[in-house]
Amino acid sequence: MPWSRLRTMKRVDDFRLRLGKKELIPIMTGGMGVDISTAELSLVAARLGGIGHISDAMVPTVSDRRFKTGFVKEKQKKYKYNVANRDKSVVQFDLVRLAEATKMHVGRTMEAKKGDGLIFINTMEKLTMGSPRDTLRVRLSAAMDGGIDGITLSAGLHLGSLALIEDHPRFRDVKFGIIVSSLRALTLFLRKSARLNRLPDYIIVEGPLAGGHLGFGMDWVQYDLKTIVDEIHRYLKQESLNIPLIPAGGIFTGTDAVEFLEAGAAAVQVATRFTVTKECGLPDKVKQEYFRANEEDIEVNLISPTGYPMRMLKNSPAIGAGIRPNCEAYGYLLDGSGNCAYIEAYNRELDKHPDEENISVMDKTCLCTHMRNFDCWTCGHYTYRLKDTSRRLADGSYQLLTAEHVFKDYLYSTEHRIALPPA
Ligand SMILES: Cc1cc2nc3c(=O)[nH]c(=O)nc-3n(C[C@H](O)[C@H](O)[C@H](O)COP(=O)(O)O)c2cc1C
């Protein structure tokens, strides 16, 4: 049936996601990096019977904030001598500490879990951390040691990721999924995972309207989530592969979700609507920026050193900032040779303006520092509709929502209606 004619009074609650032996509410909250998807947010989704993601992005930093550990200080102290050096190849993560931080973040979250849902962790391959294979192996193993229910592989093709952990005792028990934006990326991954006899348990298909990094070029406008989902759906059928498909990106109302579920999707992954909830990790002031944004205030640009386009608010403090690279403390985007595109851009500007105290770098940003400080306001395309999901208060600000309210609005809404929170 053509999408446009799929008119329905069904609600998301009329559907269930089957994952192995489990039956779940077919709503997954996305893993928004550097603690935008907090443990608290994921715990609400799990308590209500869905799947909540946390993220392992910059997990030592997240642990320091959450548990008052001192991982970042320790690393910074160790490499202090290198701060003025342009060559960052000496900077390495202590793998024991990385495992400790991951296990703590995951373990404490799992201990707090109530209800029938699940908690997954989003693991981005692009966080190469100066030693891509070793650090990824540690991140994945430690998340499994910490008791995570599932791991979503993202921001990369992950062609070698599963092989890194095939000997882990929980390798066949933890759910694995991958985020793809094209059939081509999926087939590459499936070929590799077939060799390990470990097909993914779910596939998230992320379209061009998502937040964070995009799996498209700057021609993202020409792509459409429904078309990609249909194509992948047909392919899986043809190959007799029964793997749940989970679309993501721009699913703003419960009815948007129902349209995908009726067309054969197993669940949906959503994120933007949760950025203005109390449980979301963004500072309250930043949540108001998301509420206030209009369509023309949002752009997709190339300032992320990962090379992927990224969507963000145009007034993000990260844009045009010219801070010194902070790799001794962070360094999550250093490749195996100690390079990051921001370091190059920064040094180029520094050489051009040797006498200036404050330089500006327009083409790249120090993503680690700015994500850590919530100064890179990455967001989904429909962020400009958030103002319609809440109430304006007397002082002009917007009332923050609860994650439970947003989750239930997805679950029960019909005809694209959005329930406002109780005043
Ligand atoms: C603020 C924000 C940060 C995000 N960060 C990440 C991330 O770190 N890793 C990732 O794989 N996806 C990230 N995403 C993508 C979401 O997990 C999700 O797939 C997508 O945004 C869903 O579309 P929606 O926001 O329109 O609901 C982010 C999304 C938002 C809005």
Side-chain angles (χ1 to χ4, degrees):
M1 194 189 312
W3 284 93
S4 55
R5 266 191 262 136
L6 278 176
R7 295 203 55 218
T8 174
M9 284 301 283
K10 281 206 170 146
R11 311 178 304 174
V12 170
D13 194 34
D14 296 322
F15 298 83
R16 288 294 179 267
L17 162 66
R18 271 204 82 93
L19 215 49
K21 288 187 200 111
K22 261 198 105 79
E23 215 175 68
L24 296 141
I25 300 283
I27 299 173
M28 198 180 236
T29 55
M32 299 180 273
V34 196
D35 216 25
I36 299 179
S37 286
T38 56
E40 289 71 33
L41 179 55
S42 71
L43 286 164
V44 173
R47 172 169 61 77
L48 297 173
I51 299 174
H53 269 100
I54 52 175
S55 158
D56 86 338
M58 298 183 77
V59 79
T61 314
V62 173
S63 163
D64 285 354
R65 203 148 40 193
R66 201 175 159 200
F67 309 117
K68 312 283 174 269
T69 46
F71 294 120
V72 175
K73 256 207 188 115
E74 185 184 285
K75 178 163 175 271
Q76 196 170 24
K77 201 166 146 204
K78 182 170 174 193
Y79 293 112
K80 199 170 168 212
Y81 70 91
N82 197 59
V83 165
N85 193 349
R86 291 183 176 201
D87 180 353
K88 303 296 182 194
S89 55
V90 292
V91 177
Q92 291 290 319
F93 280 84
D94 179 322
L95 297 179
V96 174
R97 290 287 192 248
L98 180 61
E100 238 176 89
T102 309
K103 242 166 103 170
M104 206 175 329
H105 185 43
V106 171
R108 300 272 182 98
T109 308
M110 298 313 291
E111 280 163 26
K113 190 179 96 165
K114 293 196 181 80
D116 290 333
L118 299 174
I119 299 211
F120 289 4
I121 193 163
N122 179 294
T123 303
M124 293 186 274
E125 189 175 27
K126 268 287 173 184
L127 300 190
T128 40
M129 299 173 69
S131 182
R133 280 171 61 85
D134 293 339
T135 51
L136 188 58
R137 180 189 290 117
V138 166
R139 289 157 65 195
L140 295 169
S141 312
M144 292 194 275
D145 294 340
I148 200 76
D149 292 318
I151 298 182
T152 298
L153 305 168
S154 69
L157 291 173
H158 287 282
L159 301 183
S161 302
L162 290 181
L164 293 174
I165 42 165
E166 62 174 322
D167 295 329
H168 194 282
R170 296 193 65 215
F171 184 60
R172 298 196 184 262
D173 142 46
V174 170
K175 302 279 177 244
F176 281 103
I178 177 138
I179 302 190
V180 296
S181 294
S182 69
L183 175 59
R184 199 188 83 87
L186 177 64
T187 50
L188 291 173
F189 181 78
L190 289 179
R191 214 169 297 155
K192 289 282 183 179
S193 53
R195 245 181 256 167
L196 294 173
N197 193 20
R198 181 68 178 87
L199 286 173
D201 299 292
Y202 58 99
I203 297 163
I204 298 176
V205 185
E206 199 180 70
L209 304 184
H213 291 99
L214 301 183
F216 300 87
M218 288 304 275
D219 60 347
W220 58 271
V221 176
Q222 297 175 16
Y223 295 87
D224 158 62
L225 177 61
K226 285 176 179 167
T227 310
I228 306 168
V229 172
D230 279 346
E231 190 186 7
I232 292 181
H233 203 177
R234 276 199 305 275
Y235 170 82
L236 293 179
K237 263 200 178 145
Q238 173 198 315
E239 299 292 314
S240 306
L241 290 171
N242 189 15
I243 308 172
L245 270 192
I246 305 178
I251 300 172
F252 200 79
T253 68
T255 313
D256 291 335
V258 166
E259 287 178 4
F260 279 104
L261 295 169
E262 291 224 293
V268 294
Q269 173 167 279
V270 287
T272 294
R273 293 261 326 256
F274 290 90
T275 57
V276 288
T277 60
K278 290 178 187 158
E279 291 84 353
C280 162
L282 292 169
D284 286 355
K285 261 186 157 165
V286 178
K287 290 173 190 165
Q288 294 298 326
E289 299 284 346
Y290 282 53
F291 267 130
R292 273 198 297 271
N294 293 313
E295 189 169 1
E296 61 274 16
D297 301 327
I298 300 166
E299 67 177 17
V300 176
N301 61 39
L302 286 171
I303 68 169
S304 165
T306 61
Y308 287 117
M310 194 173 184
R311 179 172 280 113
M312 62 186 75
L313 297 186
K314 285 182 188 169
N315 58 344
S316 297
I319 302 177
I323 56 168
R324 186 160 71 182
N326 220 345
C327 313
E328 285 70 24
Y330 305 135
Y332 293 82
L333 295 181
L334 293 174
D335 66 16
S337 321
N339 298 316
C340 164
Y342 179 67
I343 303 175
E344 274 165 50
Y346 172 81
N347 288 329
R348 183 199 63 224
E349 290 306 314
L350 200 62
D351 291 342
K352 268 201 248 170
H353 310 281
D355 302 323
E356 273 173 46
E357 209 169 294
N358 294 312
I359 58 168
S360 167
V361 181
M362 287 311 294
D363 53 324
K364 290 290 170 231
T365 195
C366 184
L367 198 64
C368 293
T369 307
H370 293 305
M371 286 303 295
R372 150 71 176 72
N373 295 338
F374 300 112
D375 280 338
C376 177
W377 299 337
T378 182
C379 65
H381 176 77
Y382 286 134
T383 295
Y384 64 87
R385 293 169 64 187
L386 288 174
K387 56 175 79 56
D388 304 328
T389 69
S390 188
R391 293 175 192 280
R392 193 104 192 248
L393 303 173
D395 65 357
S397 70
Y398 290 85
Q399 184 181 330
L400 291 184
L401 307 169
T402 64
E404 177 161 351
H405 169 81
V406 176
F407 191 96
K408 288 187 170 164
D409 186 49
Y410 270 115
L411 196 54
Y412 301 123
S413 125
T414 54
E415 297 186 308
H416 292 291
R417 274 193 293 261
I418 288 173
L420 296 182

